[in-house]
Amino acid sequence: MSQPASEPVSDRADLVSFLDVSVTPELLELALTHRSFAYEHGGISNNERLEFLGDSILGQAVTVMLYRENPDLDEGDLAKRRASLVSTVALAEIARHIGLGQYIRLGRGEELTGGRDKHSILADTVEAIIGATYLDAGPVAATGLVMRLIAPLLADPDRFGAAMDPKTSLQELSSAQGRGMPNYVISDSGPDHDKRFHAIVRLGKDEIAEGVGSSKKMAEMAAALQAWTKLSAGAPDAS
């Protein structure tokens, strides 16, 4: 039987080799299954529960690492550093570094609209893989995977620059470029115990970037960091 057009064509062996963790093929496939694919294939299981688990594992591993390795930083600075490492933008950067997009099982609609390179889909899939690793290989292996995934971010000398306070950095940059003050539009989805917040940052009438997070603050920071990155690089607006 030929492979459906919405299935990734890449062999997962390279991904498995890079991850270097023991996860069953079935659980890895689930971690790579976006809800759009599940919906188009009769409502099969998708990776959202694994993403929920992986988000917690990721946050704990990064928090413990930062606490142990930065004894002189106060709570506020530790929180900013954690945010810069676990934000949607940061996780999408990790996903692109390992070429994760090509392995994700997407529905046709998402495929046609560039879903393989969407920040939110990439970030959620990274978290789902972390969750799958925790279930199959245990907490030590999952923590080790998190540390390997974030290593390139930690090695970036600019990671804790604008990423430490992206809203202020964006405000300063947009003012310097004559773009005015950033404005954030927030929406949320999901049940009260597991809300996800979506932020759009605007400069004037232009929508520059967006971000998601488990709180309004996290979503705004993710959107601000993406906007700052675009303005710094001279990228065109997202509108």
Side-chain angles (χ1 to χ4, degrees), residues 67-203:
Y67 181 88
R68 288 176 171 171
E69 295 188 4
N70 300 277
D72 297 327
L73 293 182
D74 62 22
E75 183 270 345
D77 285 337
L78 288 172
K80 290 176 182 177
R81 292 201 174 205
R82 179 178 60 192
S84 74
L85 293 170
V86 305
S87 70
T88 299
V89 174
L91 294 180
E93 185 179 332
I94 289 170
R96 293 188 183 98
H97 176 71
I98 65 176
L100 184 60
Q102 64 188 304
Y103 302 100
I104 302 174
R105 304 170 86 201
L106 287 178
R108 293 181 184 276
E110 285 290 355
E111 186 78 71
L112 292 172
T113 57
R116 294 195 188 281
D117 198 46
K118 286 184 179 177
H119 287 333
S120 58
I121 292 177
L122 290 172
D124 289 349
T125 306
V126 169
E127 291 178 336
I129 289 174
I130 293 169
T133 301
Y134 180 89
L135 290 178
D136 255 12
V140 174
T143 297
L145 174 61
V146 170
M147 293 301 103
R148 291 196 299 277
L149 290 175
I150 68 170
L153 304 184
L154 291 171
D156 179 0
D158 297 324
R159 172 59 47 182
F160 299 125
M164 287 287 286
D165 191 354
K167 293 182 69 175
T168 299
S169 296
L170 174 61
Q171 180 178 324
E172 293 173 348
L173 181 58
S174 62
S175 295
Q177 294 183 354
R179 301 293 296 270
M181 292 287 290
N183 179 47
Y184 297 86
V185 179
I186 308 294
S187 60
D188 62 74
S189 61
D192 289 341
H193 68 279
D194 186 29
K195 278 194 177 297
R196 299 288 289 178
F197 293 86
H198 179 257
I200 295 174
V201 58
R202 293 175 174 166
L203 291 176

